[in-house]
């Protein structure tokens, strides 16, 4: 029998987050000749460089996610990246997979350990090199999924699930999706010009066999100047005469992101900054054929646990796998398509979506927005997940003051 009571739950804080510039996943893309694990190493090293007051040996665990865990993004990423990044051999690590919510799950899993007192400081993140490892490559879905009709025949194609959302909700028109896609590009361009993107990027050295050495310092996917007219003329690859296009979908992307988490008491002890406080989190499942709806029940569950409503949320970072998926979330909560609370810096339609790393990108952007908006007390990060899931994390702004309202 235990001789003492379990430790009380303590507050978990988001200390900092960084990411690589995102590259297009193609043979001539930014990271065509760069290893996936090296991208993750860059983010971990940068976190340690930015916070020299943190003794590397104080990191209790490294959790890194990848959706396709093979080749250069396999082999227990958390442990191998920790070793490659120069952390002491005493620091353990592990790999995790919840598809698009991989990094988000790495954060919430290690945060739970911190909250119960089992750990003090963790590094959590994710990497996806879709140029080396296309989504679903070499996967072998169990034939029972189809034979026993456990999922619809089109549930494994993410683009088709987006078309299914258009079918299910006629109010989610192609015109609305096209306008949202353009707005994402415009907001990202404005944020970049205002200096709100670069502070979170870590440059990556590149070596191309033909072009020699280079340096990645900026995101490759954005298409500034995109217009509604240009998107309206695009093909619909997932269905003849469909509504989902390249202009309303996140491009296939390579990149990594990592963050530093700590107990609030430990952060104070070590002199680490507190950029966000975790309030709660939730995951939920939906029908796989409409996986884009996942953020709705996940957010409902998280808000209920926190004792909050959507009106209490002043900033929302939602992953833009597809424009229609974001619009379904907005309609579910009665939020306007152009609500300034939603993705102020633009989203994945512009910057890209390297699957397992995107959750930390959302968090890092929210942390910076909290600094800009002391009148906002609560924000959330949310995303849909393949095979019909959603994940949401509710955060509190440590810079909040009543006087700023």
């Amino acid at each position: 029998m235990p001789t003492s009571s379990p430790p009380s739950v303590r507050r978990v804080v988001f200390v900092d987050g960084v990411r690589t510039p995102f590259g297009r996943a193609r043979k001539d893309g930014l990271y065509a000749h760069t290893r996936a694990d090296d991208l993750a190493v860059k983010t971990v090293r940068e976190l340690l460089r930015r916070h020299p007051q943190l003794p590397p040996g104080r990191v209790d665990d490294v959790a890194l996610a990848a959706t396709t865990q093979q080749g250069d993004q396999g082999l227990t990423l958390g442990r191998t990246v920790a070793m490659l990044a120069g952390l002491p051999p005493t620091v353990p690590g592990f790999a995790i997979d919840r598809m698009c919510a991989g990094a988000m799950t790495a954060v919430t899993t290690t945060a739970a350990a911190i909250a119960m007192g089992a750990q003090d400081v963790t590094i959590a993140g994710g990497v996806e090199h879709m140029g080396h490892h296309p989504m679903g490559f070499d996967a072998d879905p169990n034939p029972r999924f189809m034979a026993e009709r456990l999922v619809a025949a089109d549930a494994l194609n993410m683009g088709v699930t987006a078309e299914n959302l258009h079918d299910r909700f006629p109010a989610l028109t192609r015109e609305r999706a096209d306008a949202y896609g353009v707005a994402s590009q415009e907001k990202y361009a404005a944020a970049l010009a205002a200096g709100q993107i670069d502070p979170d990027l870590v440059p990556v050295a590149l070596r191309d066999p033909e072009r020699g050495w280079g340096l990645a310092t900026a995101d490759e996917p954005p298409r500034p100047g995109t217009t509604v007219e240009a998107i309206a003329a695009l093909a619909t690859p997932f269905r003849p005469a469909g509504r989902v296009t390249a202009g309303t979908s996140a491009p296939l992307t390579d990149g990594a992101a990592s963050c530093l988490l700590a107990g609030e008491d430990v952060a104070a002890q070590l002199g680490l900054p507190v950029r966000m406080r975790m309030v709660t989190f939730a995951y939920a499942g939906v029908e796989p054929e409409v996986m884009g709806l996942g953020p709705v029940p996940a957010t409902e569950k998280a808000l209920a646990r926190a004792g909050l409503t959507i009106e209490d949320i002043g900033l929302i970072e939602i992953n833009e796998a597809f424009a229609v998926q974001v619009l379904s979330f907005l309609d579910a909560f009665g939020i306007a398509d152009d609500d300034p609370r939603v993705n102020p810096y633009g989203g994945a339609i512009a910057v890209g979506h390297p699957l397992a790393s995107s959750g930390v990108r959302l968090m890092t952007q929210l942390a910076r927005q909290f600094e800009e908006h002391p009148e906002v007390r609560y924000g959330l990060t949310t995303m849909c997940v393949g095979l019909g899931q959603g994940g949401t994390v509710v955060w509190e702004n440590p810079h909040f003051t009543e006087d700023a309202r």
Side-chain angles (χ1 to χ4, degrees):
M1 297 291 291
T3 59
S4 61
S5 301
S8 59
V9 174
R10 62 177 175 172
R11 304 201 74 166
V12 180
V13 299
F14 182 97
V15 173
D16 201 3
V18 297
R19 68 176 178 87
T20 67
F22 287 171
R24 287 191 169 271
R26 57 191 189 192
K27 292 182 179 180
D28 61 346
L30 204 57
Y31 300 125
H33 304 284
T34 303
R35 289 180 60 97
D37 48 11
D38 283 337
L39 293 176
V41 166
K42 291 294 292 187
T43 63
V44 173
R45 283 181 174 169
E46 180 66 8
L47 288 172
L48 297 174
R49 187 193 70 81
R50 292 189 182 196
H51 302 285
Q53 68 273 47
L54 172 66
R58 287 296 304 270
V59 177
D60 289 306
D61 217 345
V62 178
L64 284 176
T67 301
T68 306
Q69 295 191 12
Q70 59 178 215
D72 58 344
Q73 60 186 38
L75 197 60
T76 314
L77 267 173
R79 176 61 171 169
T80 56
V81 167
M83 295 172 67
L84 290 165
L87 285 165
T90 52
V91 177
F94 64 102
I96 201 162
D97 176 19
R98 200 196 297 261
M99 300 181 80
C100 302
M104 177 179 282
T105 305
V107 167
T108 57
T109 299
T110 59
I114 293 172
M116 73 167 291
Q119 297 178 348
D120 290 332
V121 180
T122 64
I123 292 174
V127 62
E128 207 75 48
H129 199 309
M130 301 182 76
H132 291 177
H133 312 285
M135 183 167 53
F137 178 75
D138 208 27
D140 181 20
N142 194 303
R144 291 178 52 226
F145 279 123
M146 299 295 115
E148 299 179 17
R149 299 185 180 181
L150 299 177
V151 299
D154 56 11
L156 301 181
N157 185 308
M158 299 300 101
V160 174
T161 67
E163 289 284 6
N164 291 343
L165 280 180
H166 279 292
D167 293 342
R168 182 168 293 196
F169 302 105
L172 303 178
T173 63
R174 174 168 177 173
E175 289 72 22
R176 284 179 65 188
D178 289 353
Y180 186 90
V182 170
S184 181
Q185 298 282 357
E186 291 175 344
K187 288 190 288 186
Y188 174 86
L192 183 65
Q196 295 164 315
I197 302 296
D198 288 346
D200 299 323
L201 302 185
V202 51
V204 177
L206 307 172
R207 184 181 182 280
D208 187 294
E210 297 180 357
R211 291 176 286 185
W213 288 94
L215 190 66
T217 59
D219 295 312
E220 187 178 27
R223 294 185 178 278
T226 298
T227 65
V228 170
E229 292 76 18
I231 290 182
L234 293 176
T236 57
F238 304 110
R239 181 185 298 173
R243 288 143 295 191
V244 179
T245 70
T248 55
S249 309
L252 301 179
T253 315
D254 304 330
S258 295
C259 68
L260 192 60
L261 305 169
E264 190 163 28
D265 55 332
V266 176
Q269 173 194 354
L270 295 175
L272 296 170
V274 174
R275 301 186 65 194
M276 299 195 293
R277 296 188 184 98
M278 184 179 290
V279 178
T280 192
F281 62 88
Y283 297 93
V286 296
E287 301 161 89
E289 58 267 29
V290 285
M291 67 96 192
L293 284 179
V296 176
T299 298
E300 291 172 340
K301 187 185 292 188
L303 290 175
R305 287 176 176 170
L308 301 171
T309 69
I310 198 67
E311 286 72 29
D312 296 312
I313 303 301
L315 288 164
I316 298 170
E317 277 291 320
I318 179 169
N319 191 45
E320 297 172 355
F322 301 94
V324 67
Q325 163 254 315
V326 178
L327 295 174
S328 70
F329 175 89
L330 299 181
D331 281 7
F333 288 100
I335 301 172
D337 294 4
D338 59 352
D339 191 304
R341 294 178 294 171
V342 180
N343 291 4
Y345 297 173
I349 289 174
V351 76
H353 174 31
L355 302 182
S357 68
S358 288
V360 166
R361 177 188 67 80
L362 300 176
M363 296 170 191
T364 301
Q365 292 191 176
L366 180 63
R368 189 161 300 282
Q369 292 155 17
F370 272 168
E371 294 167 358
E372 298 169 356
H373 294 282
E375 78 281 5
V376 170
R377 183 170 185 179
Y378 298 107
L380 62 82
T381 53
T382 187
M383 60 200 316
C384 61
V385 188
L387 287 180
Q389 301 181 81
T392 297
V393 187
V394 180
W395 302 91
E396 184 179 21
N397 186 358
H399 313 290
F400 170 76
T401 62
E402 290 283 357
D403 293 342
R405 285 193 169 186

